[in-house]
Amino acid sequence: MEESISLIEILKIIQKRLFLILSLVFVCSVISAIISYYVLPPIYEAETQILVNQKNSGQEYGWSQLETDLQLIDTYNVIIRSPVILTKVIEKLKLNTTPESLAGQINVSNADNSKVVNIRVEDESPLKSVEIANTVAEVFKEEIPSLMNVDNISILSVAKLSENPSPVKPNKLINVAIAAIIGLMLGVGLAFLLAFLDTTIKTEQDIEEILALPIMGIVKSISEKDLEIPLPSRTPRGN
């Protein structure tokens, strides 16, 4: 019984503050749409792949070499985003940035037990993202023999600029949906906060709910006109 009463009270609070809740949902959605469509710059992504594989020296490729290549991949993932590589990438492309900032644009990953390393680069320019991805792969391939004393890197695929590149960020629809959910949560939370802080009694139903007693009668409010007592009219003598 208590659960049903609590549920009814919750529905009453939401119904009472429905306009406030819908207003917050609308405002948050509009703000998110404006920011997503007109403020945030579009971000494009380019990807290149490198293969970690020992060059065939006439000997059979054994499990020991395979394990060596797989163990080196974690080290390679760190080296790719290191200043040693990115400084030369900046010099080659004449980029106006720092190795630390450029490292934030690069994501290096590989699947489990896979010798293919994916290099993804994000940038506001689709052409620049392609150039950075390919240059990172080239510089890494050139520098790894001197850094690690191994020559087991080959470029598997290069990044290419499509005719109609589409940005990967921001995802406008998801941003608006998230903002609408946040607005809904704020609206519901504010509605319950106002209901909790409002301790005034406005109607006879409020008295019934608080005191748990039936109402036997209601005193009507009296206006000033009701207090005015009309004087009896005088009748002329002789009538």
Side-chain angles (χ1 to χ4, degrees):
M1 187 63 182
E2 293 181 356
E3 292 183 357
S4 62
I5 294 175
S6 299
L7 181 59
I8 291 173
E9 290 177 352
I10 291 173
L11 293 177
K12 283 183 178 179
I13 293 173
I14 293 176
Q15 185 179 7
K16 183 179 179 181
R17 303 290 183 179
L18 186 60
F19 179 77
L20 172 65
I21 295 171
L22 294 179
S23 298
L24 284 175
V25 172
F26 177 76
V27 170
C28 291
S29 300
V30 170
I31 293 175
S32 176
I34 293 174
I35 293 175
S36 298
Y37 282 88
Y38 301 104
V39 178
L40 294 178
I43 303 297
Y44 299 87
E45 184 181 76
E47 179 182 358
T48 184
Q49 293 180 322
I50 60 175
L51 177 64
V52 180
N53 193 21
Q54 296 285 349
K55 291 186 177 181
N56 190 0
S57 60
Q59 299 178 355
E60 185 178 353
Y61 190 78
W63 282 106
S64 60
Q65 291 177 329
L66 175 63
E67 289 296 325
T68 300
D69 291 339
L70 291 176
Q71 291 173 3
L72 285 174
I73 287 179
D74 292 336
T75 304
Y76 289 167
N77 291 347
V78 176
I79 294 176
I80 289 173
R81 301 175 69 250
S82 67
V84 176
I85 302 299
L86 299 186
T87 300
K88 295 192 176 182
V89 173
I90 293 173
E91 293 174 354
K92 278 193 171 185
L93 297 178
K94 298 180 180 179
L95 301 176
N96 186 20
T97 185
T98 62
E100 292 77 13
S101 178
L102 183 59
Q105 300 178 234
I106 300 174
N107 180 34
V108 183
S109 63
N110 68 292
D112 292 338
N113 296 325
S114 172
K115 297 195 295 181
V116 177
V117 178
N118 304 307
I119 303 175
R120 295 184 179 90
V121 177
E122 294 181 351
D123 195 86
E124 296 181 11
S125 169
L127 176 60
K128 189 174 291 185
S129 64
V130 170
E131 291 176 345
I132 293 174
N134 291 332
T135 306
V136 168
E138 292 171 1
V139 171
F140 177 71
K141 180 183 177 181
E142 294 172 357
E143 295 297 322
I144 202 63
S146 59
L147 293 174
M148 298 288 295
N149 197 24
V150 291
D151 189 9
N152 60 349
I153 300 297
S154 58
I155 298 177
L156 187 62
S157 65
V158 296
K160 296 180 181 179
L161 180 64
S162 60
E163 295 182 0
N164 297 311
S166 57
V168 295
K169 296 179 182 178
N171 195 323
K172 303 180 178 74
L173 295 179
I174 291 182
N175 289 350
V176 173
I178 292 175
I181 294 174
I182 293 175
L184 178 63
M185 296 172 62
L186 289 175
V188 173
L190 185 59
F192 281 98
L193 179 62
L194 292 175
F196 177 75
L197 296 177
D198 187 7
T199 57
T200 58
I201 298 175
K202 298 181 177 64
T203 63
E204 57 271 15
Q205 285 78 14
D206 294 340
I207 299 175
E208 271 190 345
E209 293 176 359
I210 294 174
L211 300 179
L213 295 174
I215 296 176
M216 304 302 294
I218 300 174
V219 178
K220 184 181 178 182
S221 60
I222 302 174
S223 64
E224 293 182 359
K225 290 183 178 181
D226 296 331
L227 294 175
E228 293 179 359
I229 301 176
L231 297 175
S233 58
R234 292 183 178 182
T235 57
R237 289 182 178 181
N239 292 336

